[in-house]
């Protein structure tokens, strides 16, 4: 299987790095003296490929818009236990007043009228029926969350009361009418809108829905994703040997896709088999099919020919980004898309965040993250005409670039908090650079691999 981005006849080096001709072109401007050599067919083909590739920001926009082109996805009713990370498709309206009765906010005594008070024998506990009313001069022990007796003036906290030798209750500080009582409807009234359509279901949203009496919520369903791992050279266990390498993407992609809000329906290993690839794509009912490897033009890179035979609509064919430039996006069916990731691990991560993340986010109706920048602690070498994605760790108000950021390397991304988006030409030390948070490093919903 040809490494992603490798050109026929090219040395087996880092295919995402500049070759010698490209590097020389950066420092050697052609002179208009009649001696400039005529471009060879190979050079012309490389220039054509660069021209055809989609700029990185536009590729992400195309992926997001592609998800809006199909038929509208039908909302589903989801039990609260399964709703984390989904987006509400209907407003969350209060089914009752909250609280639904006058409630004690503290452990202590419910008191009526001015003190001192005679304390009754029976206490009031949470979860019990309505207690007997109080009359002036009476008090009763009460627990947090218990129903407040009718005609209660206030709740006196345990630490703010004392009893005398006759058992009468005295306040050790002023008692204010209504203190430490949560009145019925304090938070909301039945029918109030608690949360609008489009709200991301976080743990706090689950708590609010449960408190409001919901057992299920109406939400946008998770996009269904099928992962097809290509390549005859991949091992599923043990150490690399005899030209075979471990498959890093099979274990990595499913949890990453789940962190992006997807439901991974299957992970299948097809090897370098064009017939098996076409059969799998034709039979798939997933919203998105993701493949690994096979996106270049080598003798066993079957992705492009297979898509062409299927009549798929190619939306993005190569992106001006390093690593990962031979990634692609296609529409294979009316309501199905295809993302072809390069086979090199970090290049595949680049493709995942460039094409799969915007598409999945739009399918799931999740809000786009707010873009932000940080200053780079060190200068970063850039590609002359492509965006670079560089793993970084966040330290205070700076992003620190990590080493081991080659297309085939995972050591840098494994330690990273984010990817820095380095524009063509590179970035200087201290320059503000856009960051893409990794789902588990951003805090919030992304840490939940559901």
């Amino acid at each position: 299987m040809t490494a992603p981005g490798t050109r026929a006849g090219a040395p087996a080096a880092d295919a995402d790095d500049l070759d010698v001709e490209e590097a020389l072109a950066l420092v050697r401007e052609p002179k208009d003296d009649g001696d400039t050599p005529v471009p060879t067919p190979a050079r012309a083909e490389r220039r054509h490929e660069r021209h055809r590739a989609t700029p990185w920001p536009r590729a992400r926009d195309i992926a997001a818009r592609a998800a809006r082109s199909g038929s509208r996805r039908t909302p589903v009713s989801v039990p609260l236990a399964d709703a984390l990370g989904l987006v509400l498709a209907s407003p969350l309206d209060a089914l009752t007043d909250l609280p639904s009765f006058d409630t004690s906010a503290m452990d202590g005594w419910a008191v009526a009228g001015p003190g001192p008070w005679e304390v009754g024998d029976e206490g009031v506990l949470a979860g019990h029926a309505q207690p007997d009313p109080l009359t002036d001069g009476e008090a009763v022990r009460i627990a947090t969350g218990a129903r407040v007796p009718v005609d209660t003036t206030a709740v006196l906290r345990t630490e703010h009361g004392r009893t005398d030798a006759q058992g009468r209750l005295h306040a050790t500080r002023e008692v204010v009418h209504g203190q430490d009582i949560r009145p019925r409807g304090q938070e909301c009234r039945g029918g109030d809108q608690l949360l609008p359509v489009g709200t991301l279901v976080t743990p706090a949203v689950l708590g609010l829905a449960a408190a409001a009496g919901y057992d299920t919520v109406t939400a946008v369903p998770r996009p269904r994703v099928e992962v097809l791992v290509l390549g005859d050279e991949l091992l599923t266990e043990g150490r690399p040997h005899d030209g075979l390498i471990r498959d890093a993407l099979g274990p990595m992609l499913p949890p990453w896709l789940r962190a992006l809000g997807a439901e991974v329906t299957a992970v299948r290993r097809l090897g370098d088999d064009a017939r098996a690839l076409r059969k799998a794509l034709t039979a798939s009912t997933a919203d998105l099919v993701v493949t690994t490897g096979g996106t270049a033009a080598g003798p066993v890179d079957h992705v492009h020919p297979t898509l062409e035979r299927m009549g798929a609509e190619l939306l993005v064919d190569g992106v001006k980004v390093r690593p990962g430039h031979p990634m692609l996006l296609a529409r294979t069916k009316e309501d199905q898309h295809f993302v072809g990731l390069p086979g090199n691990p970090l290049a595949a991560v680049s493709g995942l965040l460039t094409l799969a993340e915007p598409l999945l986010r739009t399918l799931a109706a999740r809000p786009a993250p707010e873009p932000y920048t940080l200053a780079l602690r060190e200068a970063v070498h850039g590609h002359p005409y492509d965006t670079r994605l560089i793993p970084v760790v966040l330290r205070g108000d700076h992003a620190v670039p990590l080493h081991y950021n080659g297309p085939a390397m995972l050591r840098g991304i494994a330690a990273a908090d984010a990817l820095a988006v380095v524009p063509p030409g590179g970035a200087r030390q201290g320059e503000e650079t856009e960051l893409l948070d990794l789902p588990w490093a951003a805090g919030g919903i992304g840490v939940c691999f559901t």
Side-chain angles (χ1 to χ4, degrees):
M1 179 178 176
T2 303
T6 303
R7 293 178 290 274
D14 185 348
D16 276 316
D17 286 340
L18 295 176
D19 64 12
V20 174
E21 291 177 349
E22 291 171 336
L24 288 174
L26 299 178
V27 297
R28 186 179 59 203
E29 291 291 334
K31 299 178 181 178
D32 189 14
D33 55 6
D35 295 329
T36 303
V38 177
T40 65
R43 289 174 186 163
E45 176 63 22
R46 279 196 293 275
R47 290 174 185 171
H48 172 69
E49 289 175 358
R50 289 201 296 269
H51 177 73
R52 182 182 61 187
T54 305
W56 182 78
R58 176 162 170 73
R60 300 194 84 216
D61 183 59
I62 290 172
R65 285 189 288 108
R68 303 188 191 105
S69 61
S71 58
R72 190 179 179 205
R73 307 183 73 224
T74 304
V76 293
S77 179
V78 184
L80 295 188
D82 300 324
L84 185 65
L86 299 183
V87 169
L88 295 181
S90 294
L92 193 74
D93 294 335
L95 303 178
T96 182
D97 296 345
L98 285 181
S100 55
F101 48 82
D102 292 347
T103 306
S104 176
M106 291 288 170
D107 293 332
W109 297 270
V111 299
W117 302 273
E118 296 290 337
V119 180
D121 295 331
E122 298 293 329
V124 184
L125 300 177
H128 287 218
Q130 178 70 48
D132 293 334
L134 295 179
T135 59
D136 284 357
E138 288 186 334
V140 65
R141 269 283 184 184
I142 194 166
T144 301
R147 297 173 65 125
V148 173
V150 174
D151 295 330
T152 294
T153 301
V155 169
L156 181 65
R157 300 185 187 190
T158 299
E159 61 269 27
H160 296 162
R162 64 173 180 83
T163 54
D164 60 22
Q166 289 73 40
R168 290 177 301 180
L169 174 66
H170 297 262
T172 59
R173 61 176 60 186
E174 181 185 4
V175 176
V176 178
H177 193 282
Q179 73 180 27
D180 289 325
I181 295 175
R182 294 187 62 217
R184 176 173 181 160
Q186 181 185 52
E187 186 167 5
C188 66
R189 292 291 184 181
D192 287 353
Q193 184 181 107
L194 302 176
L195 295 170
V197 170
T199 298
L200 182 68
V201 178
T202 64
V205 170
L206 293 176
L208 177 61
Y214 284 85
D215 300 314
T216 63
V217 292
T218 302
V220 179
R222 301 181 196 280
R224 293 168 298 117
V225 179
E226 187 170 351
V227 178
L228 306 178
V229 181
L230 312 182
D232 290 337
E233 75 278 22
L234 302 177
L235 296 168
T236 58
E237 60 183 16
R239 300 180 183 180
H241 63 86
D242 301 324
L244 303 176
I245 60 173
R246 279 296 297 271
D247 170 28
L249 298 181
M252 180 174 71
L253 289 182
W256 201 320
L257 288 163
R258 292 187 191 104
L260 294 176
E263 174 191 352
V264 179
T265 59
V267 180
R268 303 174 58 191
R269 302 176 188 279
L270 302 184
D272 290 317
D273 188 329
R275 185 173 299 176
L277 175 59
R278 183 172 183 179
K279 182 178 179 182
L281 289 177
T282 302
S284 176
T285 59
D287 300 302
L288 172 64
V289 179
V290 176
T291 59
T292 67
T295 58
V300 290
D301 289 336
H302 300 303
V303 169
H304 279 94
T306 300
L307 292 175
E308 186 175 354
R309 292 188 195 101
M310 292 176 59
E313 180 185 1
L314 206 55
L315 303 176
V316 174
D317 188 9
V319 177
K320 294 179 180 179
V321 66
R322 304 296 172 119
H325 66 100
M327 67 182 74
L328 61 91
L329 169 66
R331 182 180 292 108
T332 47
K333 300 172 186 176
E334 181 181 356
D335 291 318
Q336 184 183 79
H337 288 86
F338 172 94
V339 169
L341 302 177
N344 278 326
L346 189 57
V349 169
S350 174
L352 190 68
L353 295 180
T354 300
L355 298 177
E357 186 275 333
L359 185 121
L360 289 172
R361 170 172 26 91
T362 306
L363 285 174
R366 297 177 97 179
E370 287 292 328
Y372 75 103
T373 64
L374 279 181
L376 292 172
R377 183 165 292 179
E378 303 169 8
V380 174
H381 172 73
H383 192 274
Y385 42 77
D386 291 355
T387 300
R388 280 192 77 192
L389 301 181
I390 300 293
V392 296
V393 291
L394 308 184
R395 296 292 181 264
D397 57 356
H398 282 79
V400 182
L402 294 170
H403 301 292
Y404 305 104
N405 52 34
M409 297 180 179
L410 285 175
R411 187 170 171 181
I413 193 71
D417 298 316
L419 288 173
V421 181
V422 179
R428 303 180 305 277
Q429 181 181 4
E431 184 173 342
E432 292 282 328
T433 306
E434 180 184 354
L435 296 180
L436 299 177
D437 279 325
L438 300 178
W440 49 88
I445 198 66
V447 301
C448 302
F449 293 85
T450 55

